[in-house]
């Protein structure tokens, strides 16, 4: 009898997942690239990938995931290594508990950011897609507003510029007085601007065909810069700037990792909020109800994270712009 009940439960859960994925299909999709070898954070990454390491009080991957959620993206592909993919599945599940849908694909070895498009081709299908790197953190007032040009994309590519003091460490975009992109350079010795390109990109459905035309660089990788240059050459690349009030942190080195954790701790303790609280975003967006939020609060009842969710459940949902 127990075996029959268990079998029926699995069938119901499977049917629910299929219905749920069908319901949210057709919207802008999102990809989180959480692969790589993590050599810059070794030995901390010898047993676990960096995107599962904590940035203060939550896993690193929560931060890029929260960006996609704030943009209204609910169908998300997570790309990681064969060893780490099962760990992400244990952490995030199928996404239905958050009103989302997660799919997982393994990247056997790091062959460049642009390879994420090829690996995600079946997932992308004929839809537009956002690609975000798994170690990027964004925060600022009304941040979701900056995503609008990308969210509304139907063709071409949209990227962002962010002012930095050391642009020679990044991909750099040059633009004219009319905000038209002129060139893109990868870690130039003499940068043509002080605007780096953060790891957040939006593409129309033609991106899969564009990515198929790329050839590996001297590093043996499919470079995201080369993909963006193709769009630029075809006049299909647009971009916008993040204001100085927006924080962009790349937790790819020990120094940056520590800075990101301290930044999150400072903001949260000073303002009494949670950055990248995916349960809160799902609730405020209307993806889950108050009862679901309370279940999350009970799950984390023995720490401050659960206490925060419990306090939230007493208020009327209104989307935050973290």
């Amino acid at each position: 009898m127990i075996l029959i009940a268990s079998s029926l439960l699995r069938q119901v859960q499977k049917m629910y997942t299929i219905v749920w994925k069908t319901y949210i299909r057709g919207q802008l999709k999102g990809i989180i690239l959480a692969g790589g070898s993590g050599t810059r954070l070794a030995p901390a990454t010898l047993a676990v990938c960096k995107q599962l390491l904590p940035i203060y009080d939550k896993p690193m991957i929560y931060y890029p995931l929260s960006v996609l959620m704030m943009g209204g993206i609910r169908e998300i592909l997570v790309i990681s290594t064969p060893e780490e993919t099962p760990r992400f599945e244990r952490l995030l599940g199928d996404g239905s508990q958050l009103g989302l849908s997660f799919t997982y694909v393994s990247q056997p070895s790091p062959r460049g950011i642009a390879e994420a498009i090829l690996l995600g081709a079946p997932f992308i299908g004929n839809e537009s897609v956002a690609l975000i790197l798994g170690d990027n953190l964004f925060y600022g007032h009304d941040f979701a507003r900056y995503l609008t040009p990308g969210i509304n994309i139907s063709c071409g590519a949209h990227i962002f510029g962010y002012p930095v003091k050391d642009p020679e460490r990044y991909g750099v975009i040059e633009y004219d007085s009319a905000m038209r992109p002129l060139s893109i350079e990868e870690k130039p010795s003499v940068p043509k601007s002080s605007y780096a390109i953060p790891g957040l990109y939006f593409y129309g459905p033609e991106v899969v065909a564009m990515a198929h035309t790329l050839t590996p660089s001297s590093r043996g990788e499919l470079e995201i810069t080369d993909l963006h240059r193709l769009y630029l050459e075809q006049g299909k690349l647009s971009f916008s700037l993040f204001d100085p009030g927006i924080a962009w942190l790349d937790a790819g080195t020990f120094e940056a990792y520590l800075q990101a954790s301290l930044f999150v701790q400072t903001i949260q303790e000073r303002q009494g909020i949670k950055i990248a609280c995916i349960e809160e975003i799902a609730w405020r967006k209307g993806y889950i109800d108050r009862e679901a939020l309370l279940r999350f609060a009970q799950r984390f009842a023995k720490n401050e994270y659960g206490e925060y969710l419990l306090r939230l459940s007493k208020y009327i949902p209104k989307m935050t712009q973290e």
Side-chain angles (χ1 to χ4, degrees):
M1 193 71 177
I2 295 176
L3 290 175
I4 294 175
S6 177
S7 176
L8 286 173
L9 178 60
R10 286 196 297 269
Q11 291 180 34
V12 170
Q13 290 174 332
K14 184 177 180 180
M15 290 176 61
Y16 174 80
T17 300
I18 293 173
V19 170
W20 177 248
K21 289 188 176 183
T22 302
Y23 171 72
I24 65 175
R25 191 168 294 145
Q27 303 176 358
L28 178 70
K29 297 179 178 180
I31 297 176
I32 302 175
L33 181 57
S37 55
T39 53
R40 291 188 298 168
L41 286 178
T45 51
L46 291 180
V48 65
C49 71
K50 65 179 177 181
Q51 294 87 359
L52 286 172
L53 294 175
I55 295 292
Y56 187 48
D57 60 350
K58 58 191 76 70
M60 186 185 296
I61 196 173
Y62 276 31
Y63 296 88
L65 172 57
S66 71
V67 170
L68 299 183
M69 292 177 68
M70 284 189 285
I73 298 173
R74 303 174 72 175
E75 197 169 358
I76 297 166
L77 172 67
V78 177
I79 299 177
S80 189
T81 66
E83 297 78 17
E84 302 295 341
T85 296
R87 293 173 178 165
F88 283 108
E89 292 186 77
R90 286 196 295 272
L91 174 67
L92 301 172
D94 66 2
S96 58
Q97 74 279 9
L98 291 167
L100 308 175
S101 172
F102 290 120
T103 305
Y104 301 89
V105 168
S106 294
Q107 184 183 37
S109 60
R111 299 190 183 93
I113 296 173
E115 190 190 31
I117 300 298
L118 300 182
L119 293 172
F123 168 80
I124 296 170
N126 295 317
E127 306 294 338
S128 297
V129 66
L131 171 61
I132 188 168
L133 304 187
D135 61 357
N136 275 223
L137 182 157
F138 297 88
Y139 175 78
H141 174 67
D142 205 19
F143 175 75
R145 174 176 61 86
Y146 292 88
L147 303 178
T148 302
I151 296 299
N152 294 329
I153 199 167
S154 60
C155 180
H158 188 87
I159 60 177
F160 299 90
Y162 186 88
V164 295
K165 67 176 183 179
D166 49 357
E168 64 277 0
R169 294 180 53 232
Y170 305 92
V172 173
I173 186 164
E174 177 193 14
Y175 59 93
D176 63 18
S177 58
M179 295 295 292
R180 290 186 295 257
L182 298 176
S183 69
I184 296 176
E185 298 177 291
E186 183 65 27
K187 298 180 180 178
S189 56
V190 183
K192 295 180 180 179
S193 85
S194 60
Y195 283 88
I197 302 172
L200 174 61
Y201 326 104
F202 291 85
Y203 307 103
E206 76 289 335
V207 68
V208 174
M210 299 275 280
H212 272 294
T213 68
L214 297 176
T215 56
S217 66
S218 58
R219 300 192 301 171
E221 298 186 357
L222 297 179
E223 305 288 352
I224 198 69
T225 297
D226 291 340
L227 178 61
H228 294 157
R229 282 175 180 153
L230 282 178
Y231 275 104
L232 180 61
E233 291 168 3
Q234 296 182 15
K236 295 180 180 179
L237 179 69
S238 61
F239 90 108
S240 51
L241 299 177
F242 285 127
D243 292 335
I246 298 295
W248 167 50
L249 301 172
D250 176 349
T253 65
F254 283 116
E255 293 78 10
Y257 177 80
L258 176 60
Q259 290 170 0
S261 292
L262 293 175
F263 175 83
V264 172
Q265 179 193 30
T266 300
I267 295 295
Q268 291 187 171
E269 291 191 356
R270 180 65 60 88
Q271 299 185 9
I273 62 171
K274 291 288 185 189
I275 298 175
C277 180
I278 58 177
E279 298 85 1
E280 176 181 7
I281 297 172
W283 177 63
R284 292 187 184 275
K285 283 287 218 178
Y287 301 162
I288 62 175
D289 57 21
R290 181 175 178 273
E291 287 68 30
L293 184 66
L294 283 171
R295 286 194 293 272
F296 280 117
Q298 292 164 1
R299 182 181 181 185
F300 308 121
K302 294 185 177 181
N303 62 31
E304 201 277 331
Y305 196 91
E307 294 173 0
Y308 176 78
L309 295 179
L310 185 60
R311 290 196 301 271
L312 278 179
S313 67
K314 301 176 182 178
Y315 299 95
I316 298 174
K318 182 179 179 182
M319 180 54 190
T320 60
Q321 305 296 338
E322 294 178 6

